[in-house]
Amino acid sequence: MRFSSTTLIAGLAAVSVDARSVNPIEKRATPTVYLAGDSTTAKTGGLLMGWGEYLPQLLTIPVVNKAVPGRSARSYTNEGRFTELAKVVTAGDIVVIEFGHNDGGSPNSASDNGRSDCPGTGSEVCVSGKTGEKVYTFNHYVETAAKSIIAKGASVIFSSQTPNNLWEGGSYGGYGAPVRFVGYASLAAKNLAGTGKASFVDHYQAVANMYLKLGSTKTNSLYPSDHTHTSPEGADLVAKAFAQAVKLAWNGTTPLKGYLKAGNPTVF
C-alpha cells in the first residue's frame, strides 16, 4: 500500500495530538497560587476586605482567590469546593488553606449551623443534631482535601487563621494561647510532612506581632465593623504579614518563598 506525503503528514499530526491528550496534566511554566478560606481571606467589598485580595501584589506568580465568606473547613468540603479546587490544580501549583474563624462550636445541637467541626484532631466523628449527617474534625477535612490536591502534584500550605482584634478594649491581648485551630493547622502540616508537599505558615502569630508593633489606636482603626473583619488597609497589612512570615520561614520553608517580590515591606 502506498501513502502520499499529505497522508503521512496528516497521520503524524494526529499522533502528536493523541500524545498530548494522553497526559492532560502538565506542569505549567509558571505555577498558580490558589487560596481556600473564609471572609477574612475572601473578596468582600465596602468597608471590609479579605487579605487574599492583596496577596497578588506581593508575589511574582498569579493568585486565584477561592475563599468564600462564612465558610469553615466542613462547609467548604460539603459544598464541593475542595473537590472543584482539586480538579483545577496542576503539578507545581500551590494551595493555601486557611480556616478557623467559623469552625468552632459543636455540631451536636439541634441548632447546628452546618459549619462547626467535630471536636478533636483525628478520626473522631460526631452527628449533626440538625441534619443527622456525620461530622468530622477540622484536621480530617483539611488533610483529606490536601491529599487530593497533593495527588495532582500541587503543594499545600496550611496557614493558621488570623487573630481577631488583639487591641480590642485598649490593652494588647496577644500574649495568651492562640485559638486551637492554629495548632490544628500546624498539626495538619506535620501529619502530611511525609508527602514532601505540605508546609505551615503561622499567619496568626505574624499578624499578632504586627498588631503589637502597630499599637492600639492604629490596630483598632483597621476594624471598622467588628473584631474579626478588617478594612482594605487592614487586609493589605495582613497580606504583608503573611508574606513576611513566608520570607522568614519560621516554620520551615514553603514553596512560596521563591516567588516573593523583592522589596516587600517589613510589617513586624
Side-chain angles (χ1 to χ4, degrees):
M1 184 179 294
R2 300 177 64 185
F3 295 94
S4 68
S5 60
T6 302
T7 302
L8 286 172
I9 292 171
L12 289 172
V15 170
S16 178
V17 171
D18 288 344
R20 288 196 300 270
S21 65
V22 170
N23 183 25
I25 301 175
E26 298 177 355
K27 186 173 182 178
R28 298 187 183 105
T30 301
T32 297
V33 179
Y34 292 89
L35 307 179
D38 54 39
S39 59
T40 60
T41 305
K43 181 178 181 179
T44 49
L47 295 175
L48 308 175
M49 188 58 68
W51 69 271
E53 289 299 289
Y54 292 88
L55 187 61
Q57 67 190 16
L58 304 171
L59 301 177
T60 61
I61 53 177
V63 177
V64 178
N65 194 351
K66 292 285 188 180
V68 183
R71 292 338 187 251
S72 67
R74 171 189 170 191
S75 61
Y76 202 88
T77 298
N78 288 346
E79 292 172 2
R81 298 182 187 276
F82 275 129
T83 299
E84 289 302 312
L85 193 52
K87 289 180 180 178
V88 300
V89 298
T90 62
D93 286 344
I94 302 165
V95 179
V96 180
I97 299 177
E98 182 177 299
F99 288 99
H101 282 287
N102 300 311
D103 291 81
S106 172
N108 297 317
S109 71
S111 58
D112 173 32
N113 61 12
R115 303 184 301 184
S116 299
D117 309 317
C118 187
T121 59
S123 59
E124 298 89 339
V125 179
C126 299
V127 176
S128 169
K130 184 175 183 179
T131 66
E133 70 169 291
K134 289 184 178 180
V135 181
Y136 303 94
T137 64
F138 176 92
N139 284 78
H140 172 89
Y141 290 121
V142 298
E143 290 175 31
T144 299
K147 289 174 183 176
S148 66
I149 291 165
I150 290 171
K152 296 289 293 292
S155 299
V156 173
I157 298 174
F158 294 100
S159 179
S160 57
Q161 70 167 82
T162 55
N164 288 332
N165 181 0
L166 296 174
W167 281 102
E168 187 176 28
S171 60
Y172 184 70
Y175 296 113
V179 293
R180 67 184 185 276
F181 296 104
V182 174
Y184 291 177
S186 175
L187 178 62
K190 291 177 182 177
N191 287 343
L192 272 64
T195 65
K197 290 184 175 293
S199 53
F200 173 63
V201 170
D202 196 344
H203 200 186
Y204 184 102
Q205 191 59 55
V207 175
N209 289 0
M210 180 180 70
Y211 287 165
L212 178 61
K213 182 178 179 179
L214 290 176
S216 177
T217 301
K218 182 59 180 179
T219 301
N220 277 295
S221 75
L222 305 177
Y223 289 87
S225 64
D226 57 35
H227 64 195
T228 301
H229 301 93
T230 57
S231 64
E233 181 186 6
D236 179 44
L237 288 168
V238 171
K240 288 171 179 173
F242 176 84
Q244 187 175 344
V246 169
K247 180 179 180 180
L248 294 175
W250 283 343
N251 312 103
T253 303
T254 76
L256 270 183
K257 187 171 183 178
Y259 299 109
L260 293 173
K261 285 185 178 179
N264 279 345
T266 296
V267 293
F268 61 83

